[in-house]
Amino acid sequence: IVGDESCPECRKNGRDSTGNHLIVFSSGNKSCNRCGYKELVMRDSEESSERVSTMRIEEVQGFPFKSLTDRNISASVAEKYGVKSEVDVTNGQTSTHYYPYYSGTTLIGYKVRGVAKKDFWKVGEIKGADLFGLHLVGTGGKMLVITEGECDCMAASQMFKEQGKNYRVVSLQN
């Protein structure tokens, strides 16, 4: 934490009269300790530039579960893993996937993938998060499949399900 400033969301709603609700981190990210508003610095892998997003985790939760047609992953598997999709209103195509990351049972952020360019960024803070899908694993069992990416994880889970297997599948974050 390098400082604090007023939260525009709180101010808009008549709160934060002290002007210190928005915590500023050395990474450039900002987070309101009262309403959850965030300003996140995200790296665009294509251009190595930074861009700021004011999207909050709560906003992503409003997006639907859809099949990931570019990867042939069903909507039921996307829903199982909590993967949300955003649709481009100009062409009706899926433009973005949101992969949830947890710490224990607490949702702490989303890894975001732009479908067309395959660029990645995040909403929330996912550094130090559990493996993707670990919140679904539970205890017991003898087999755990670990894949390299979120889509690979869901594809493997779907493949096992279609074969009548109930193997637990998780993925590395990157």
Side-chain angles (χ1 to χ4, degrees):
I1 298 175
V2 296
D4 56 51
E5 56 190 53
S6 64
C7 171
E9 190 71 20
C10 286
R11 286 274 168 109
K12 184 171 74 175
N13 293 311
R15 298 186 307 270
D16 194 9
S17 60
T18 57
N20 66 351
H21 289 191
L22 196 63
I23 305 301
V24 181
F25 298 93
S26 59
S27 65
N29 290 339
K30 300 175 184 180
S31 178
C32 179
N33 61 4
R34 306 285 167 75
C35 75
Y37 172 86
K38 294 186 184 318
E39 291 183 9
L40 304 172
V41 175
M42 297 179 281
R43 303 219 181 264
D44 185 330
S45 60
E46 294 274 324
E47 302 170 5
S48 296
S49 63
E50 292 184 349
R51 57 186 179 182
V52 175
S53 168
T54 57
M55 183 173 283
R56 296 185 302 177
I57 291 172
E58 297 79 16
E59 292 176 77
V60 176
Q61 291 173 321
F63 293 141
F65 298 111
K66 295 178 49 93
S67 59
L68 281 61
T69 54
D70 58 312
R71 297 297 297 262
N72 292 324
I73 296 171
S74 70
S76 65
V77 171
E79 184 171 5
K80 173 184 173 181
Y81 282 91
V83 175
K84 303 284 190 158
S85 295
E86 187 174 12
V87 175
D88 184 334
V89 293
T90 60
N91 62 17
Q93 299 295 312
T94 300
S95 61
T96 314
H97 298 158
Y98 295 85
Y99 308 103
Y101 274 88
Y102 291 80
S103 178
T105 58
T106 304
L107 175 66
I108 60 172
Y110 287 89
K111 180 177 175 183
V112 187
R113 175 180 179 247
V115 174
K117 289 173 131 181
K118 195 177 177 184
D119 55 342
F120 295 91
W121 62 95
K122 64 185 177 176
V123 171
E125 185 54 57
I126 63 175
K127 185 176 182 180
D130 298 334
L131 295 170
F132 175 74
L134 189 65
H135 66 289
L136 301 172
V137 168
T139 59
K142 295 181 180 180
M143 176 115 148
L144 177 66
V145 177
I146 302 173
T147 64
E148 190 175 354
E150 297 86 0
C151 286
D152 295 337
C153 173
M154 291 186 294
S157 179
Q158 182 171 303
M159 175 188 68
F160 290 136
K161 182 179 178 182
E162 289 169 357
Q163 294 176 352
K165 309 288 184 191
N166 192 24
Y167 296 142
R168 299 166 305 156
V169 186
V170 297
S171 170
L172 303 173
Q173 189 179 116
N174 51 17

